[in-house]
């Protein structure tokens, strides 16, 4: 359980960092939409799948589809946290001014 929660945390942080990079200085700068978040979640799942595939080549480790789902859930949780935090900050700026 501890190792799985570590995976959830790692992929949540990865998703938050990618969202921050793409929304604050990348192509989606200043746009808070759901479609870019789906792209980021897709990248997280793709990265998790590649990581599991890479592990399957090691004799000491195995790749698991369940781990990809757990990692994807962590990425989704991270994006929900990021979305909530930025939505709250945008509302706060709207009411307090620049």
């Amino acid at each position: 359980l501890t190792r799985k929660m570590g995976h959830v945390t790692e992929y949540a942080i990865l998703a938050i960092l990618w969202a921050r990079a793409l929304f604050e200085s990348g192509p989606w700068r200043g746009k808070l939409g759901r479609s870019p978040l789906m792209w980021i979640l897709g990248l997280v799942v793709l990265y998790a799948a590649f990581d599991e595939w890479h592990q399957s080549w090691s004799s000491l480790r195995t790749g698991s589809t369940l781990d990809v789902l757990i990692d994807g859930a962590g990425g989704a949780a991270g994006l929900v946290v990021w979305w909530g935090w930025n939505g709250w900050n945008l509302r706060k700026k709207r009411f307090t001014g620049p």
Side-chain angles (χ1 to χ4, degrees):
L1 184 65
T2 303
R3 285 182 39 203
K4 299 302 179 193
M5 288 307 295
H7 274 261
V8 168
T9 304
E10 289 171 15
Y11 280 87
I13 291 170
L14 177 66
I16 289 170
L17 290 175
W18 276 349
R20 186 171 177 209
L22 293 172
F23 279 99
E24 292 182 13
S25 63
W28 298 313
R29 185 176 186 175
K31 299 173 186 155
L32 195 61
R34 289 188 182 129
S35 179
L37 291 175
M38 292 297 115
W39 279 100
I40 294 169
L41 183 58
L43 284 172
V44 168
V45 171
L46 188 65
Y47 188 85
F50 179 76
D51 184 44
E52 292 300 318
W53 175 75
H54 179 259
Q55 286 180 23
S56 71
W57 288 91
S58 172
S59 61
L60 301 175
R61 303 193 64 185
T62 59
S64 168
T65 306
L66 179 62
D67 282 349
V68 174
L69 293 174
I70 291 169
D71 298 342
L79 289 175
V80 166
V81 167
W82 185 86
W83 174 271
W85 177 259
N86 281 297
W88 180 75
N89 279 336
L90 286 176
R91 283 191 301 275
K92 188 171 75 170
K93 285 180 186 176
R94 225 178 288 152
F95 290 118
T96 60

